[in-house]
Amino acid sequence: MSTLTATPETPETDQAVRARPAYRVTGGRVLASEWAKLWSLRSTWITLALGLLFLVAFGVIAASHYKSNLDSGRHMDRDFATATAASLSLFGTNFAQLALGVLGVLVTAGEYSTGMIRSTLAAVPRRLPVLWAKAAVYGLVALVIATVGAFVAFLVGSRIVSGTPAAMGLGHAGVVRSLLGAGLYLGLVGVIGAALGALLRSVAGGISVLVAALMLVPGLISLLPSSWQGDIDPYLPSHAGESIFALTHDSTTLSPGAGLLVFLGWTALVLAGAAYRLLRSDV
């Protein structure tokens, strides 16, 4: 026969239990937790620095190359011949998007690879607030870094091309909108990276899909018949994103507003897929 013994509650034990603070899971606390986790990783500092470096350095290099070719009288290809200070300064956007997008994947998929996601979801059982917090925190950080980088690249690049046909200042029509658009685009790329990491739960898989969507698919679309390209090309994530910060547009590109709506649609689609898998699948 087994005997169950109950531990009697002493006044001291009962008082200690009552004195223990009751913690509630709130949106603000989830955001604060994700903010702390983001900045506790060395990869965050390194990758954000690389994204900022790519954006500024390649913009300055492009402006210097334009100025050098112009001064020497060498022939410039069509893209450089029609370039402006804004387009030259944002030349590094394609490189910065890789760094910021990859870090976005690491923000979410990295927790799955280490198993830390179990502790995260044990602390926040409702799950979805974790995804929203990760996307919001990292998207905001990427937005700020990218916007600062875009303005720094333009201020330096515009001084380099001063006195050339490409010269323009912040007061020129569309310049501020273009620089802010570049920051917004790169911030949304970071959100897409975080969503892909949560959807695929694999660092390698998330990075592969990100690179394919932003860089490989546009090249493959160019192999399609030209009658198809005009209907598909403007709505690809990378091309819709480029239209957000482009200064000039033609019949083959979307307007900045339309490009933003299309890119927001792609972002929402990936986030919805990540949310569905987070709710339906075990970690």
Side-chain angles (χ1 to χ4, degrees), residues 2 75 82 86 95 99 114 119:
S2 61
H75 172 74
T82 59
F95 303 95
T114 60
S119 300

Side-chain angles (χ1 to χ4, degrees), residues 237-263:
S238 56
H239 291 168
E242 287 173 6
S243 67
I244 299 173
F245 58 87
L247 273 180
T248 58
H249 300 83
D250 54 35
S251 59
T252 64
T253 61
L254 299 175
S255 66
L260 177 59
L261 288 176
V262 171
F263 200 72

Side-chain angles (χ1 to χ4, degrees), residues 125-170:
R126 293 178 60 189
R127 296 194 173 192
L128 284 185
V130 173
L131 177 62
W132 308 143
K134 286 182 181 294
V137 167
Y138 180 62
L140 179 62
V141 170
L143 169 65
V144 172
I145 293 294
T147 303
V148 170
F151 274 89
V152 170
F154 177 79
L155 292 175
V156 177
S158 62
R159 290 180 64 88
I160 294 174
V161 299
S162 177
T164 70
M168 57 172 45
L170 286 173

Side-chain angles (χ1 to χ4, degrees), residues 2 14 18 21 33 36 81 85 87 101 104 121 126 132 157 172 195 202 245 257:
S2 61
D14 187 53
R18 286 198 303 268
S33 171
S87 63
L121 296 183
R126 293 178 60 189
W132 308 143
H172 280 72
S202 164
F245 58 87

